[in-house]
Amino acid sequence: MSTITLSKSDAAGVKTDVVVIGVVKLDGGVTLPAGTESLNAAYGGKLVEVLSALGATGKAGEVTKVPGPKPGKSATLIAVGLGSAPDGALKTEDLRTAAGIGVRAAKTAQSIAFALPTPDAECVRAVAEGALIGRYSFNAYKSEATDDVPGNLTVLTDLARSKEAKAALERAEIVADAVHQVRDWVNTPPSDLHPTEFAEHVQKLAKDHGVKVEVLDEKALAKGGYGGILGVGQGSTNPPRLIRLTYTPRKPVTHLAFVGKGITFDSGGLSLKTASGMISMKADMAGAAAVVGATIAIARLGLPVQITTYAAMAENMPSGSAARPSDVLTMYGGKTVEVLNTDAEGRLVLGDALVRASEDHPDLIVDVATLTGACVVALGTKVAGAFANSDTARDRVVDAAVIAGEAMWPLPVPSEMLDKLRSHSKVADLANITGEPWGGALAAAAFLGDFVADGIDWVHLDVAGPAFNDGGASGYTSNGGTGYSVRTLVELAASAT
């Protein structure tokens, strides 16, 4: 069992297999940040020259490995480029990323010490988060699985004995646990994680951490009139579920509601996806996984924020019982929707959940969904789209994302998109698509916004790009599920205090 600790040990004398340091880029060379003085001395004051001779430039993400000053008797040095810092200040995301890169570069080292700059507790947290999250590996289905992640981790810092640093480390551990859990869920093959199994996992996790949980099965969904969730799930032999989590601390300062899209596999239904388009569709439940993971983390941290969370779970499959294009669904709350494309299913399950979440009268609803390929076309695979019915609410979430190191870009919800959805159906209150090949992410956001009660602030995060990474591990981001938005939601709750 690996651990992470804080230590005031000297970087040159710490007993470890690997020491990770940062290298800052300068015009015409590199320099070492604070905290590496003793290491420089161990190399006879020539560490910069050694690194430069090995080709180090300080470029962000660059890795340079240096044998210990006493070969065979001292730790290997891994120098990670931090990029330029013109004002001398490094961002916490720079440190988080450097720690993640250092962990991956060290591979299976039994112990790693991080001598990265930690002038305050937030920097301690960033280094610890990067190290822990970057260490993730998913080997559950490998026949010869080995523990190919580094062992014990140590953050070297002069703040090691301060209450603030200890609290920062605890938060990093809890958040990393949540990210790892979300990644495990997203990476699990869809044959092993249907809505029922996911609900069972959540029930156990919630019980372990004192969070109340309620699960509506297909009978309860039918009785309650959840036509969107039932309509999407009716083509599968694996029935849908709606999971409700509640965390209510004493004297909460605010009430946040989280809603997550939980399509455990998305074939597109009768509007069938291409073969290649289905390959990563086990990740279509990443939004539900993220809101659940964040809720458990917030409860473990004991933050004084009331959380009500909904995970709308279904499997979207083609069969004789599947919803057909032109079918009309009666959503929870009474609105009718004509389904003109069964592959625009995420908005249907979310619509039900958003109406139900509105009934709890939260101060803010945030939904998280791998909703549209259109958002990936617009923003690429590393940036989420942030939509809202209030600029203030959207800015709160985006500001939290900046602190967490998760890229989000504000996008509009044009009123004409909702008009198009309403006019595109001749038989129902609205259609689930506009019928136009452009503005798909905006139309989806407009659809969702129509299911949020008046007077409630709402933010929609389209994480279709960054929630699943098939482009190779980088920084602290692993292959497969990334756990994207967990840290933003925790930061949002923490900032409310």
Side-chain angles (χ1 to χ4, degrees):
M1 183 70 177
S2 57
T3 60
I4 186 166
T5 57
L6 302 178
S7 174
K8 292 189 71 171
S9 295
D10 182 82
V14 64
K15 293 183 179 180
T16 185
D17 295 330
V18 173
V19 174
V20 175
I21 66 169
V23 181
V24 178
K25 184 177 181 180
L26 285 180
D27 290 338
V30 298
T31 188
L32 299 173
T36 54
E37 293 82 3
S38 63
L39 277 171
N40 187 40
Y43 285 87
K46 297 184 180 297
L47 183 52
V48 167
E49 288 87 338
V50 172
L51 290 167
S52 297
L54 291 172
T57 67
K59 179 182 176 182
E62 178 186 73
V63 172
T64 306
K65 294 185 179 181
V66 183
K70 298 178 181 179
K73 297 183 179 180
S74 54
T76 298
L77 194 65
I78 293 179
V80 180
L82 296 172
S84 301
D87 58 357
L90 291 165
K91 297 178 181 177
T92 52
E93 180 62 7
D94 296 330
L95 299 172
R96 190 181 290 114
T97 301
I101 291 171
V103 160
R104 291 195 301 107
K107 296 183 179 179
T108 58
Q110 290 301 302
S111 57
I112 307 173
F114 296 85
L116 293 164
T118 53
D120 55 41
E122 287 302 298
C123 291
V124 171
R125 177 160 66 95
V127 172
E129 274 187 5
L132 289 166
I133 297 173
R135 185 174 57 180
Y136 176 83
S137 180
F138 186 73
N139 294 320
Y141 290 83
K142 292 184 178 180
S143 59
E144 296 182 2
T146 58
D147 187 10
D148 61 353
V149 295
N152 297 336
L153 310 176
T154 304
V155 179
L156 303 179
T157 175
D158 289 339
L159 305 176
R161 295 172 187 168
S162 74
K163 291 181 180 179
E164 293 80 8
K166 291 176 181 178
L169 183 70
E170 180 184 18
R171 179 167 163 183
E173 290 180 287
I174 290 172
V175 170
D177 282 349
V179 171
H180 289 182
Q181 176 63 79
V182 172
R183 288 176 173 179
D184 282 350
W185 280 330
V186 174
N187 289 332
T188 297
S191 58
D192 287 345
L193 194 66
H194 305 112
T196 50
E197 284 93 351
F198 184 79
E200 289 167 1
H201 282 280
V202 174
Q203 285 176 307
K204 182 180 185 306
L205 197 62
K207 182 179 179 181
D208 289 345
H209 297 292
V211 175
K212 293 182 179 179
V213 61
E214 175 189 8
V215 178
L216 299 186
D217 62 15
E218 63 272 32
K219 293 181 180 178
L221 290 169
K223 184 177 180 180
Y226 292 88
I229 298 173
L230 288 167
V232 172
Q234 71 188 49
S236 174
T237 56
N238 301 297
R241 294 288 184 268
L242 179 62
I243 304 166
R244 181 176 188 262
L245 298 174
T246 52
Y247 163 64
T248 309
R250 294 182 60 189
K251 298 180 180 180
V253 297
T254 191
H255 180 190
L256 303 178
F258 299 152
V259 176
K261 173 187 173 183
I263 305 300
T264 56
F265 185 75
D266 182 17
S267 69
L270 292 179
S271 303
L272 198 65
K273 292 180 182 292
T274 64
S276 61
M278 283 192 224
I279 291 174
S280 62
M281 284 300 103
K282 65 180 182 180
D284 214 19
M285 43 70 70
V291 298
V292 170
T295 302
I296 299 300
I298 291 165
R300 290 182 64 189
L301 289 168
L303 298 178
V305 177
Q306 181 179 349
I307 306 291
T308 307
T309 295
Y310 291 89
M313 313 301 301
E315 186 177 52
N316 187 24
M317 298 291 282
S319 73
S321 62
R324 296 154 289 243
S326 77
D327 276 357
V328 174
L329 305 178
T330 300
M331 307 286 285
Y332 182 76
K335 278 194 177 83
T336 57
V337 176
E338 185 176 9
V339 180
L340 298 181
N341 186 327
T342 63
D343 195 25
E345 85 299 329
R347 63 201 71 183
L348 300 175
V349 301
L350 288 173
D352 277 355
L354 286 167
V355 176
R356 179 63 186 87
S358 296
E359 293 177 347
D360 295 317
H361 306 291
D363 299 308
L364 172 65
I365 297 175
V366 181
D367 78 71
V368 183
T370 49
L371 204 61
T372 66
C375 201
V376 183
V377 172
L379 300 178
T381 60
K382 306 295 185 184
V383 182
F387 305 79
N389 61 4
S390 157
D391 289 349
T392 301
R394 182 196 61 216
D395 291 347
R396 280 181 62 192
V397 176
V398 172
D399 288 348
V402 170
I403 296 171
E406 295 183 317
M408 296 182 184
W409 193 259
L411 290 172
V413 188
S415 59
E416 62 265 24
M417 285 295 180
L418 184 56
D419 294 337
K420 290 177 180 180
L421 290 167
R422 287 171 173 165
S423 63
H424 195 46
S425 175
K426 307 304 180 187
V427 298
D429 294 331
L430 68 167
N432 71 330
I433 59 171
T434 63
E436 297 177 342
W438 47 77
L442 312 187
F447 182 97
L448 296 180
D450 200 42
F451 290 86
V452 178
D454 291 341
I456 296 179
D457 285 343
W458 158 75
V459 178
H460 159 57
L461 301 179
D462 191 332
V463 299
F468 192 82
N469 173 36
D470 56 7
S474 63
Y476 53 82
T477 302
S478 61
N479 285 308
T482 65
Y484 201 87
S485 75
V486 169
R487 292 182 292 122
T488 292
L489 296 179
V490 174
E491 189 64 47
L492 177 68
S495 66
T497 64

